[in-house]
Amino acid sequence: MLNKLLSLAHSKLYWVAMIALGLILESVALFYQYVLDYPPCVLCIHVRIWVMGFILVAIAALVLRRYRYTYTICHVLTTAALVGGLERSWFLLGIERGTVISDCGPYATLPSWLPLDNWFPWMFAIWEGCGKTPVMPLNVTMAEVLVVMFAILLLISGVLLATSIRAQLTKPHS
């Protein structure tokens, strides 16, 4: 079992799947924004940034896969991006359900050294304050889908990270 997990943790297919999933998520967000006219809020943009983060890490994993510790480092970074995405999605779900009271106004909260909303306004510009997210197919909200999706991906990523670290620790030094 450990060998199968390690094989998955080091496979190109895993990283390609992460890129594809990330691109699908970003495309759905843009579809809802530009086609269905649901303006993104601060937390929605934060989620998009975390998704872009795991896409970039997956690309780096593919490009740098020949280096010894690349996969472990990329699994750490992917897990961190998924934790960030889950936290932002959970917070958004709390605001949507009224269990979290927050001043989530329509203003940029990005650091001045990384003004993604200025560099890529079509993707990262904040249009409104937080509130309800769109209802998606099966009568679930976007926030609900994001929480479940990030939780599942985090579980998978955590298992693959643990497998990768264990392999590095038990690998004989050459």
Side-chain angles (χ1 to χ4, degrees):
M1 179 70 164
L2 185 61
N3 287 338
K4 287 183 182 181
L5 284 173
L6 189 58
S7 177
L8 177 61
H10 289 191
S11 75
K12 290 182 207 176
L13 181 61
Y14 172 75
W15 297 109
V16 169
M18 289 298 283
I19 293 167
L21 179 61
L23 292 174
I24 289 168
L25 290 172
E26 299 290 23
S27 297
V28 168
L30 292 172
F31 175 79
Y32 272 82
Q33 178 178 346
Y34 289 109
V35 176
L36 300 180
D37 201 29
Y38 284 98
C41 69
V42 174
L43 295 174
C44 299
I45 296 302
H46 290 175
V47 170
R48 287 185 192 183
I49 292 168
W50 285 114
V51 170
M52 190 58 67
F54 78 69
I55 291 170
L56 294 174
V57 170
I59 292 169
L62 288 174
V63 171
L64 302 171
R65 68 182 178 273
R66 299 189 197 283
Y67 298 100
R68 183 173 183 190
Y69 294 106
T70 298
Y71 286 119
T72 302
I73 292 167
C74 287
H75 282 298
V76 167
L77 295 173
T78 298
T79 301
L82 293 171
V83 167
L86 179 59
E87 186 276 332
R88 295 284 78 191
S89 299
W90 183 258
F91 194 69
L92 181 59
L93 182 62
I95 290 172
E96 182 173 273
R97 292 195 172 168
T99 59
V100 172
I101 306 301
S102 174
D103 176 23
C104 189
Y107 41 83
T109 57
L110 301 175
S112 60
W113 53 268
L114 190 66
L116 294 175
D117 53 336
N118 291 332
W119 295 342
F120 307 103
W122 58 273
M123 179 75 172
F124 298 115
I126 298 162
W127 289 13
E128 71 176 10
C130 300
K132 297 282 185 193
T133 60
V135 176
M136 301 185 76
L138 303 177
N139 204 31
V140 294
T141 68
M142 190 175 283
E144 292 167 336
V145 170
L146 288 169
V147 166
V148 170
M149 187 221 46
F150 274 113
I152 291 168
L153 288 174
L154 182 58
L155 177 65
I156 293 167
S157 182
V159 168
L160 295 180
L161 171 60
T163 302
S164 187
I165 289 172
R166 183 171 180 198
Q168 289 294 328
L169 293 175
T170 59
K171 191 178 219 179
H173 297 283
S174 42

